[in-house]
Amino acid sequence: MIADKTMPGAKLNLGTTTRVCVVGSGTRFLSGISYYTNRLANSLSSSHEVSVILMRQLLPTQLYPGRKRVGVKLTDLSYNQNISVFDGVDWFWWPSIIQAIAFMIKQRPEVMVFQWWTGTVLHSYLFLAIVARLLGAKVVIEFHEVQDTGEARMPLARAYVGLLGPLMINLSSGFVVHSEFDRPILEKRYPLANRPVALIPHGPYDHHRATTGLESRRDVPSHICNLLYFGVIRPYKGLEDLIKAFDAIPESEIEHFWLTVVGETWEGWTLPNELIEKSRYRQRITFINRYVRDEEVASFFAGADAVVLPYHRSSASGPLHTALSHGLPVVVTQVGGLVEAVSNYEGAILVPPQDVNALRNALDRVVQIRGKRYSDPHSWENTLVLFTTLFSAMEEELEDFEMVA
């Protein structure tokens, strides 16, 4: 049996229904984690008693790359009526942390599932995890990334996570990763002490498809292949490679292509913006340089013939899962957990990262399959089953526990 050496507490009495509290991002600082927190909680609530604690003010607004949109209503995300929601905990705590503790005492969760993606929430997560353990709850950390790439380049932020991160790990009884790629990275970074690590693939982002009154957004006729890049524009996203590949299309063939770029610039990464303005095909590029509302997301994907994501690295990708949910052909680089995410998706074209020539050739292949739609292999039902199995494994303290999708 794997003994829990982090903090004494009574053994859980988990039945077919578990009291689960999901801790993640709210919509004030809207991101892919906001959507994931919502979709996971709603999924778990079909079989468990679920509550949610949201991080409301992630950090001082002026320090956030997307500061201009903080607090702007960009989504109609909602939680199921049977879910109790506390929205939420502020970075500076007072008085929100006291209200969060009162919420936890009232809900009495048996398991706390923390969504991990940024060190800005670490001090709040650590405090909530300590309270959870004192209340007799088990702690699970679901890793979307071991550490945000932008934060990892900041010595102070890297040192801060390196100092406090192990404390959070020691309070945990189990962990979740979205791919086999992430497992050794996590194990190398932190001593997990043989506690269960569950491989639970990222669930589908099909919520945008349910948008009512949907009209597709495309600036070209249907016979032209509209390539969509969607997502925050950051150095590791590789958008500059796509623009170079688009520019490399011969003049005799460019009439078959259009490029639509939709994304908010972060970290001062303006190289893609500059390349777009200098492109010899600038008149065939639609550039929406901001974070868009839910209904706009749906319309851009509905109007796309293919999605191109030329990442240099990535553990997971919300835009990729949105594309899979729409059944679109996708061109994606062979990095991180993305290869596993599309392993059973027939519409995926894989290319090496930072290889403009390979990306250029992939665009020709896209034209050949334009108009085809494919089935998304991912489901939230699968997520529910795997999380329930993890909860049971932590309760039984299974030795040599291994779980894969």
Side-chain angles (χ1 to χ4, degrees):
M1 302 291 286
I2 297 176
D4 189 344
K5 302 177 181 179
T6 57
M7 186 176 293
K11 190 176 182 182
L12 295 179
N13 181 21
L14 298 181
T16 56
T17 299
T18 303
R19 294 191 304 278
V20 182
C21 182
V22 179
V23 185
S25 175
T27 59
R28 179 171 169 76
F29 289 69
L30 185 65
S31 70
I33 306 300
S34 306
Y35 292 103
Y36 187 91
T37 301
N38 173 269
R39 296 306 306 277
L40 175 64
N42 285 346
S43 173
L44 293 176
S45 71
S46 64
S47 294
H48 301 285
E49 186 178 330
V50 176
S51 58
V52 173
I53 294 178
L54 298 175
M55 300 294 106
R56 179 173 55 198
Q57 182 78 25
L58 289 181
L59 71 166
T61 300
Q62 63 270 24
L63 300 179
Y64 187 65
R67 64 183 68 87
K68 292 182 180 179
R69 62 174 171 85
V70 170
V72 176
K73 183 174 173 56
L74 297 170
T75 180
D76 292 322
L77 272 180
S78 62
Y79 286 86
N80 292 345
Q81 292 184 353
N82 61 339
I83 297 177
S84 298
V85 180
F86 174 68
D87 186 13
V89 175
D90 297 327
W91 181 83
F92 40 80
W93 278 12
W94 187 260
S96 62
I97 199 69
I98 303 301
Q99 296 167 334
I101 294 172
F103 180 82
M104 291 173 64
I105 293 174
K106 180 179 179 180
Q107 298 299 322
R108 283 287 182 180
E110 296 171 288
V111 178
M112 298 276 289
V113 181
F114 289 85
Q115 303 302 306
W116 173 259
W117 80 105
T118 172
T120 60
V121 299
L122 181 52
H123 66 299
S124 299
Y125 275 18
L126 185 59
F127 187 82
L128 293 176
I130 291 172
V131 173
R133 295 305 306 272
L134 291 173
L135 293 174
K138 297 280 189 178
V139 170
V140 173
I141 305 177
E142 181 170 7
F143 284 90
H144 296 268
E145 287 190 278
V146 175
Q147 186 171 8
D148 178 82
T149 55
E151 292 177 356
R153 290 196 296 270
M154 302 176 186
L156 185 59
R158 187 171 62 250
Y160 169 72
V161 174
L163 178 65
L164 295 185
L167 301 179
M168 185 73 188
I169 294 293
N170 288 339
L171 290 166
S172 304
S173 299
F175 310 93
V176 173
V177 294
H178 292 152
S179 68
E180 283 293 353
F181 171 83
D182 289 322
R183 190 193 302 267
I185 297 175
L186 176 60
E187 293 174 343
K188 182 178 180 180
R189 180 71 178 270
Y190 297 113
L192 305 184
N194 294 322
R195 283 164 290 184
V197 180
L199 169 55
I200 304 180
H202 196 296
Y205 273 4
D206 53 2
H207 45 280
H208 293 299
R209 297 184 63 185
T211 303
T212 57
L214 175 65
E215 294 184 5
S216 65
R217 167 70 188 273
R218 57 183 292 137
D219 294 338
V220 291
S222 59
H223 69 275
I224 295 176
C225 184
N226 184 26
L227 306 169
L228 173 65
Y229 169 91
F230 187 93
V232 177
I233 300 172
R234 303 179 66 180
Y236 78 89
K237 294 295 187 84
L239 174 57
E240 61 276 12
D241 298 338
L242 173 57
I243 300 165
K244 292 175 183 177
F246 188 76
D247 245 20
I249 298 174
E251 291 184 7
S252 59
E253 300 176 18
I254 193 61
E255 64 182 12
H256 302 300
F257 295 93
W258 190 275
L259 176 60
T260 300
V261 175
V262 182
E264 178 182 57
T265 299
W266 277 32
E267 301 174 64
W269 188 242
T270 59
L271 176 59
N273 308 46
E274 296 165 5
L275 291 176
I276 288 174
E277 293 307 318
K278 295 177 181 178
S279 171
R280 62 173 176 160
Y281 299 134
R282 178 64 183 90
Q283 299 306 312
R284 302 188 71 86
I285 302 175
T286 297
F287 186 26
I288 310 297
N289 192 200
R290 58 182 173 82
Y291 205 100
V292 296
R293 301 185 304 275
D294 278 358
E295 59 269 25
E296 294 179 282
V297 176
S299 65
F300 280 118
F301 277 89
D305 293 303
V307 173
V308 187
L309 301 172
Y311 297 171
H312 294 172
R313 61 158 301 280
S314 185
S315 292
S317 167
L320 174 60
H321 284 280
T322 304
L324 302 188
S325 294
H326 281 79
L328 290 165
V330 295
V331 178
V332 62
T333 43
Q334 296 165 306
V335 296
L338 304 190
V339 178
E340 294 173 55
V342 300
S343 61
N344 295 314
Y345 187 72
E346 295 181 357
I349 299 174
L350 291 166
V351 297
Q354 303 185 61
D355 189 331
V356 174
N357 288 332
L359 192 56
R360 160 72 189 93
N361 292 333
L363 301 185
D364 286 336
R365 295 174 59 189
V366 164
V367 172
Q368 299 171 13
I369 60 175
R370 182 173 62 89
K372 292 186 178 181
R373 294 295 180 266
Y374 305 90
S375 298
D376 188 349
H378 303 283
S379 74
W380 288 106
E381 291 77 11
N382 184 52
T383 298
L384 171 61
V385 169
L386 294 175
F387 261 102
T388 301
T389 303
L390 174 62
F391 298 156
S392 298
M394 292 190 305
E395 162 61 10
E396 298 171 11
E397 298 180 336
L398 294 180
E399 190 170 356
D400 297 325
F401 171 78
E402 183 176 359
M403 184 173 71
V404 296

